Amino acid sequence: MNKYFSTKLSIFVFTAPALLLFTVFCVYPLLPEIWMSLHDHDGFRNLGFVGLDNYREVLSTPSFWTAHKNTYLIVGISLLLGLPLSMMLSLFMDVQTPRLRRFFKTAAMFPAILSVTVVAQIWLAFYEPNWGLFNRILQSIGLSDWTHSWLTEKRTVMPSIGLSFLWQYIGLNAILFYTGIKTIPKDYYEAALLDGASFAQVCLKITIPLLQNVIKYVLILSTLGSMAFYSHVRVMTAGGPGDTSRTVIYQMYYTAFDTSQFGKGTAIAVIFIIQCLVISFIIQRFVARGKLEF
């Protein structure tokens, strides 16, 4: 019994500083925002308590749901396209010579260290309808009918912005996967090769299963990072045309700062935080639940 309580006491003593810091810097700052979301606030003055009216009005606004559709489209692009491509890139780097591996690692990280503004300006030039790279390529191969004004057409604007986001961070995820691959003991690979396993079988039966914890981390990082998608939209389209390229974060910014409805803006922020917590819980609960031991 004394051993049981001493163990629990030790856990509390060592975790208390981290819990205190988390409470002070993460939990406590949310409380004033939740309180503001229950008021009619213009950023300078509290115009009165309105209860849940801000939430009701936000949830009944069509642009709020358009923003959610766009946000989860970016999440889908990041997860369904980005993660498999990052995994393939990491596997490709792992089988290269040391010199080529250094080159590909540097090339993969380069977009991620660039400023979002720089990346957005590069892709704005690619998408320029008159002299942009993409339309010029289509024209040069006889596909002029496929050219678009990529960032001003409703059906192409979000995939176009999502592609720029994907390009910037696909290499970073590949480096994370590659780092995880290097922690896997070589004995497994040597045994598989002696048994005559192909490269694809080694990847599917050894590498990917033993990367489950890294995959979970990258999945959370990519999902929450995609949900917080804002800067590319701000630079490339400013939410246009109309409100068709707004994301949840952009909708929150627009509501709070452009229309001076800080109560509604913070209501959007609270809803967004709840969604992120739920998604994080689902990933933690259902992805890579088994204990991994080498």
Side-chain angles (χ1 to χ4, degrees):
M1 183 65 69
N2 291 333
K3 183 179 180 181
Y4 172 80
F5 282 110
S6 64
T7 302
K8 293 294 184 180
L9 180 61
S10 299
I11 293 173
F12 174 77
V13 169
F14 284 107
T15 59
L19 290 173
L20 179 62
L21 291 174
F22 177 79
T23 302
V24 171
F25 292 103
C26 295
V27 178
Y28 175 74
L30 294 177
L31 301 181
E33 303 306 316
I34 295 174
W35 181 248
M36 183 183 290
S37 71
L38 302 175
H39 291 75
D40 182 8
H41 205 292
D42 64 0
F44 298 97
R45 296 170 300 166
N46 187 340
L47 303 177
F49 181 81
V50 296
L52 297 177
D53 287 349
N54 285 331
Y55 292 91
R56 282 192 288 266
E57 292 185 32
V58 163
L59 293 173
S60 63
T61 303
S63 58
F64 175 80
W65 297 108
T66 299
H68 272 77
K69 181 188 70 174
N70 292 336
T71 297
Y72 285 105
L73 174 63
I74 298 298
V75 172
I77 291 174
S78 179
L79 299 186
L80 300 181
L81 290 179
L83 293 191
L85 289 174
S86 296
M87 178 63 74
M88 287 189 288
L89 180 57
S90 66
L91 294 171
F92 173 76
M93 288 191 294
D94 188 48
V95 298
Q96 301 304 307
T97 62
R99 179 176 295 181
L100 283 176
R101 190 179 300 128
R102 286 193 297 269
F103 168 77
F104 285 116
K105 287 165 65 176
T106 303
M109 280 299 298
F110 182 71
I113 64 176
L114 290 176
S115 165
V116 172
T117 303
V118 173
V119 172
Q121 291 297 331
I122 292 172
W123 283 83
L124 278 172
F126 289 166
Y127 289 131
E128 211 288 327
N130 297 315
W131 47 263
L133 177 65
F134 293 149
N135 281 349
R136 282 300 181 95
I137 292 175
L138 291 173
Q139 291 169 358
S140 66
I141 60 177
L143 297 176
S144 298
D145 292 340
W146 289 23
T147 60
H148 291 279
S149 181
W150 301 95
L151 297 177
T152 58
E153 295 181 15
K154 292 183 179 180
R155 61 176 180 167
T156 60
V157 59
M158 284 310 300
S160 299
I161 300 174
L163 184 59
S164 67
F165 179 78
L166 184 67
W167 175 82
Q168 184 169 13
Y169 295 109
I170 190 173
L172 175 62
N173 290 338
I175 294 297
L176 294 174
F177 284 137
Y178 172 78
T179 304
I181 290 173
K182 302 311 290 183
T183 65
I184 299 175
K186 296 298 181 184
D187 297 345
Y188 295 128
Y189 294 107
E190 293 172 357
L193 292 176
L194 288 175
D195 290 338
S198 65
F199 177 75
Q201 290 174 323
V202 169
C203 292
L204 293 175
K205 300 295 185 179
I206 297 177
T207 304
I208 294 178
L210 293 180
L211 282 179
Q212 57 177 307
N213 290 330
V214 178
I215 292 173
K216 176 191 283 190
Y217 171 75
V218 175
L219 183 61
I220 294 175
L221 187 69
S222 297
T223 302
L224 299 186
S226 301
M227 291 187 67
F229 186 68
Y230 165 79
S231 301
H232 295 75
V233 174
R234 181 65 179 174
V235 177
M236 297 178 72
T237 64
D243 62 356
T244 55
S245 65
R246 292 181 190 173
T247 60
V248 175
I249 297 298
Y250 191 94
Q251 182 68 17
M252 177 188 69
Y253 171 88
Y254 174 83
T255 302
F257 292 96
D258 287 0
T259 66
S260 296
Q261 300 179 80
F262 276 75
K264 293 181 182 177
T266 52
I268 296 174
V270 172
I271 294 172
F272 176 77
I273 291 171
I274 293 172
Q275 292 180 31
C276 290
L277 291 175
V278 170
I279 291 173
S280 297
F281 172 78
I282 292 173
I283 295 174
Q284 290 282 4
R285 181 68 176 81
F286 295 105
V287 177
R289 297 178 58 188
K291 185 178 180 180
L292 182 63
E293 293 182 356
F294 291 126

